[in-house]
Amino acid sequence: MKVSNLMRPRILIVDDEPTLAAALRRLLVAKYQVFTATRSPDVLEALKSGERWDLIISDLMMPELTGMDLYEAVRQLDTDQAERFLFMTGGALTTRAAQFIAAQRGRTLDKPCDPARLRASVEAVLEATTSARTDG
């Protein structure tokens, strides 16, 4: 049975590497509505215009606006949307990034990402945010 797009969770992948964003999209598109963005300032503008996603998977280190800065801006804009982040990192971390990762309660993935771990992490965040929304 095919599930309509209206029932499928909306996921946004934000990564300045278009090839990686496309690869992640291919891993998730069978089960989710998946969108990609290569510029985090564009994502912030979309959010300011009222766009929302069930999950935002964001690279941590990007030019213009890092994943950390995007998260902080979203947190100021919409705390519910800010709870719907999952972060990816290539490993080379600044002190600030390492501290940020430590505060994310396990919502981080290493790049390259194991497909099974990606899917499990996506499910865990979606489940946690959905149950928090229905409980509260």
Side-chain angles (χ1 to χ4, degrees), residues 78-123:
D78 182 339
T79 55
D80 180 63
Q81 185 69 76
E83 288 298 313
R84 298 167 178 280
F85 268 79
L86 182 61
F87 297 95
M88 298 179 301
T89 178
L93 299 176
T94 63
T95 301
R96 177 181 173 230
Q99 291 170 343
F100 180 84
I101 292 273
Q104 293 311 305
R105 304 180 314 264
R107 289 190 178 189
T108 58
L109 296 167
D110 293 326
K111 291 190 325 188
C113 182
D114 172 67
R117 177 134 195 272
L118 170 67
R119 290 183 187 108
S121 295
V122 165
E123 285 294 321

Side-chain angles (χ1 to χ4, degrees), residues 52-84:
R52 294 295 181 268
W53 292 274
D54 296 298
L55 175 63
I56 297 174
I57 302 173
S58 178
D59 187 11
L60 200 61
M61 304 305 290
M62 295 181 285
E64 297 182 85
L65 188 66
T66 68
M68 297 172 287
D69 295 331
L70 175 62
Y71 171 79
E72 289 302 326
V74 171
R75 199 165 63 106
Q76 296 299 315
L77 185 67
D78 182 339
T79 55
D80 180 63
Q81 185 69 76
E83 288 298 313
R84 298 167 178 280

Side-chain angles (χ1 to χ4, degrees), residues 11-84:
I11 296 176
L12 174 65
I13 299 168
V14 187
D15 199 303
D16 58 313
E17 298 177 43
T19 307
L20 180 59
L24 292 172
R25 182 183 184 284
R26 283 191 300 274
L27 290 171
L28 298 172
V29 74
K31 191 169 181 180
Y32 309 102
Q33 293 182 73
V34 183
F35 307 85
T36 61
T38 56
R39 295 186 64 249
S40 48
D42 295 341
V43 173
L44 188 54
E45 286 307 311
L47 286 162
K48 287 179 179 177
S49 297
E51 187 75 49
R52 294 295 181 268
W53 292 274
D54 296 298
L55 175 63
I56 297 174
I57 302 173
S58 178
D59 187 11
L60 200 61
M61 304 305 290
M62 295 181 285
E64 297 182 85
L65 188 66
T66 68
M68 297 172 287
D69 295 331
L70 175 62
Y71 171 79
E72 289 302 326
V74 171
R75 199 165 63 106
Q76 296 299 315
L77 185 67
D78 182 339
T79 55
D80 180 63
Q81 185 69 76
E83 288 298 313
R84 298 167 178 280

